[in-house]
Amino acid sequence: MSERMTGAQALVRSLELEGVTTLFGYPGGVALPIFDALYDSAQVHVLLPRHEQAAVHAADGYARVTGKPGVVLVTSGPGATNTITGLANAYMDSVPMVVFTAQVAQSVLGTDAFQESDITGITLPITKHSYLVRNPDDLAETIREAFLIATTGRPGPVLIDVPVDVSKAEFDFVWPEHVNLPGYKPTVRGHIKQIKQAAALIAEARKPLLYVGGGVLASGGWKELKELAELMQLPVATTLMGKGAFPEDHYLSIGMPGMHGAKYTNFAITDTDLLIAVGVRFDDRVTGKLSAFAAKARVIHIDVDPAEIGKNKTVDMPVVGDAKQVLAGLVAELRKADAEPRTEGWMNAIDDWRRQFPLHYLHNTEEIMPEFAIETIQRITRDRKRVITTEVGQHQMWACQYIHVTEPRTWCSSGGLGTMGFGFPAAIGAQLGAPDHLVIDIAGDGSIQMNSQEMATAAINGLPVKVVVLNNGYLGMVRQWQELFYGHRYSSSTLAQDCPDFVKLADAYGWKGYRVSDPALLEATLREAFDAEGPAIIDVRVVREECVYPMVAPGGSIDEMLGGVPGGPVSDMLDDDLIKEVWE
């Protein structure tokens, strides 16, 4: 049955029918008809950020924590272009999102009208799909399609551009019960022949290893992953995007691989004979020198996006399909074959490397080491329901190393794009999505200033997020690279530790503000801040020139790492008895 309404009202009705309850929006001229219609919605709560980029990051954090698509509404021109970084971030990290941009009237499109931008053209490479709605009759069907595309196959952001004459026009609204998208049929079920062959490779392998990324979380396949790992006693390496897909306190977990991975993790990948890559894209920050990455291994690559198979790494056994379904298929085939684990010697070798080459840092009783700060956060919050978000930089890598994520969808970090300024608005979205969780953004003093205006958003909306700033007075990762590769020439990477004064900034926004520089007072300060009712920021003054180790030099092989426990290439690390045990 049809109902007479405006395009703006139809847009809001469509959101309600899609089950949307939270929208991140910033109004402006041509978006006003839609915001006016939202004013009447009893279902859709609008969160007003202080910048459109933050709106998209907040929607991103909300989507990662809830598994639901994030929804954003902004105006035309600068409002639309301010979403670019957020869209690119979501696209790189495969986060489901539907972003509405208002547009000037169709009668002036292409005339350089006030606040006109070709947003569908600009965002073409960083969206899964985009629409320019030219007829109100197409609006509901377009929205249905957008939600379907954003959330199925490999998730990603979809943009819908709505000219103001479309949102103002009256028409007969009809909600389409079904979506028909010829040509869009993501392959969800893996081919059974390939699954059988992959299962046979796993059953035969002596040194197999699961290399797991965000695709497992996107598919909801963490239960099946754990079942496979335990059935065949497979060590599991989780990427930055895969943290939470497998509990990091599990004895089979070997942490994050790559540029700042532990030595034992990278040694294991270097020496594995079967790499089972699930929902990963062989990112260069993980692989380092690609020709040396898992060079001894046959490779099974499971991914819902066929374009990822073989893109960076030659694959022996491709399986295109949803990670959850393919992992379930592998477990079924291995059980049917009564496959037994053969990895006792392999796990002994990895455990031996783990003992020899743990993550470590020099302890300091005078100043706070950044690693110590992260370890303290981990220790005092590990038994609480929590979500950790991060900005991008040294603190992000230390968080990857020392925060052990044990539950899916409780970790939000910018992986592919590496967006400074992501973590804090993502924490706001995460807090909305998980209101009963302690949400902590681990930040640097550089990155927090890229979206610190959102302290107003958290305060006004009563969102009790906590921001821990590891304040070293530098753009820390830039400084580290300048120290290691540019002869200590700190060009444009030095900040002022006291500007801004984060405690006074907290006071200005109605937050709790803390500063701590004494290691002996760190735990008590963090506990007080985490237990505070409202939002709080903790300015943690840390050792200024600490580096994140171990580190793989750009373009280097991942088994040749700088820093950390003294060592060398994995070929020099293998104990003769262990080699014999593993191979024979």
Side-chain angles (χ1 to χ4, degrees), residues 51-235:
H51 194 285
E52 290 91 348
Q53 179 187 345
V56 187
H57 290 327
D60 188 318
Y62 177 87
R64 295 191 201 216
V65 166
T66 63
K68 303 173 185 174
V71 180
V72 177
L73 169 63
V74 298
T75 193
S76 63
T81 55
N82 280 341
T83 66
I84 300 298
T85 299
L87 282 166
N89 190 82
Y91 184 72
M92 291 284 282
D93 287 352
S94 305
V95 177
M97 192 178 295
V98 178
V99 175
F100 294 90
T101 51
Q103 183 57 280
V104 300
Q106 294 182 77
S107 58
V108 294
L109 267 178
T111 67
D112 294 336
F114 178 68
Q115 293 193 332
E116 179 190 0
S117 66
D118 177 14
I119 195 62
T120 53
I122 293 169
T123 58
L124 188 65
I126 54 170
T127 53
K128 190 172 175 184
H129 196 63
S130 59
Y131 296 89
L132 170 61
V133 182
R134 291 188 172 276
N135 189 325
D137 290 328
D138 297 334
L139 199 50
E141 185 173 1
T142 299
I143 292 172
R144 285 224 70 182
E145 290 178 4
F147 275 82
L148 177 72
I149 293 170
T151 56
T152 54
R154 180 178 182 169
V158 176
L159 185 140
I160 303 176
D161 200 23
V162 185
V164 66
D165 53 307
V166 172
S167 60
K168 285 182 174 177
E170 287 197 355
F171 72 111
D172 294 322
F173 172 78
V174 177
W175 180 244
E177 292 300 325
H178 304 287
V179 180
N180 181 25
L181 277 173
Y184 179 74
K185 290 186 171 51
T187 302
V188 176
R189 298 179 61 184
H191 195 289
I192 188 61
K193 182 179 177 183
Q194 292 171 325
I195 292 175
K196 285 178 183 290
Q197 291 174 337
L201 289 175
I202 294 170
E204 294 168 2
R206 300 294 299 273
K207 299 192 294 182
L209 186 147
L210 277 160
Y211 159 42
V212 173
V216 173
L217 290 166
S219 71
W222 47 84
K223 175 176 170 290
E224 290 76 10
L225 172 68
K226 188 163 181 277
E227 194 173 358
L228 174 62
E230 291 181 340
L231 176 67
M232 300 306 292
Q233 294 295 291
L234 306 173

Side-chain angles (χ1 to χ4, degrees), residues 330-346:
L330 285 172
V331 170
E333 289 300 322
L334 288 162
R335 288 197 189 284
K336 196 187 301 179
D338 292 325
E340 297 282 346
R342 307 172 68 192
T343 60
E344 184 177 352
W346 175 226

Side-chain angles (χ1 to χ4, degrees), residues 281-357:
R281 56 188 179 85
F282 292 89
D283 174 67
D284 61 292
R285 286 298 173 104
V286 171
T287 65
K289 184 180 178 182
L290 198 55
S291 61
F293 183 76
K296 301 175 183 175
R298 288 175 291 181
V299 177
I300 299 170
H301 192 179
I302 300 164
D303 204 288
V304 74
D305 183 355
E308 287 295 340
I309 306 285
K311 185 178 80 175
N312 293 330
K313 177 75 176 175
T314 302
V315 173
D316 299 283
M317 179 51 61
V319 186
V320 176
D322 176 82
K324 179 182 175 72
Q325 296 206 24
V326 175
L327 289 168
L330 285 172
V331 170
E333 289 300 322
L334 288 162
R335 288 197 189 284
K336 196 187 301 179
D338 292 325
E340 297 282 346
R342 307 172 68 192
T343 60
E344 184 177 352
W346 175 226
M347 285 306 303
N348 287 341
I350 293 174
D351 287 341
D352 190 63
W353 291 328
R354 204 192 308 248
R355 283 188 293 273
Q356 287 187 66
F357 310 109

Side-chain angles (χ1 to χ4, degrees), residues 3-11 13 168-173:
E3 184 178 354
R4 193 76 178 166
M5 62 179 68
T6 67
Q9 291 169 328
L11 189 155
R13 178 68 61 82
K168 285 182 174 177
E170 287 197 355
F171 72 111
D172 294 322
F173 172 78

Side-chain angles (χ1 to χ4, degrees), residues 21-22 24 45 47 58-68 384-389 407-412 425-441 461-466 533:
T21 56
T22 302
F24 302 85
H45 167 67
L47 184 102
D60 188 318
Y62 177 87
R64 295 191 201 216
V65 166
T66 63
K68 303 173 185 174
R384 298 179 66 165
K385 294 170 69 175
R386 72 175 185 198
V387 174
I388 300 290
T389 73
E407 296 290 334
R409 300 198 180 283
T410 58
W411 167 263
C412 301
I428 288 174
Q431 189 75 80
L432 279 169
D436 60 340
H437 283 54
L438 171 66
V439 178
I440 303 169
D441 172 37
N461 290 278
L463 299 170
V465 295
K466 318 299 179 188
E533 285 191 5

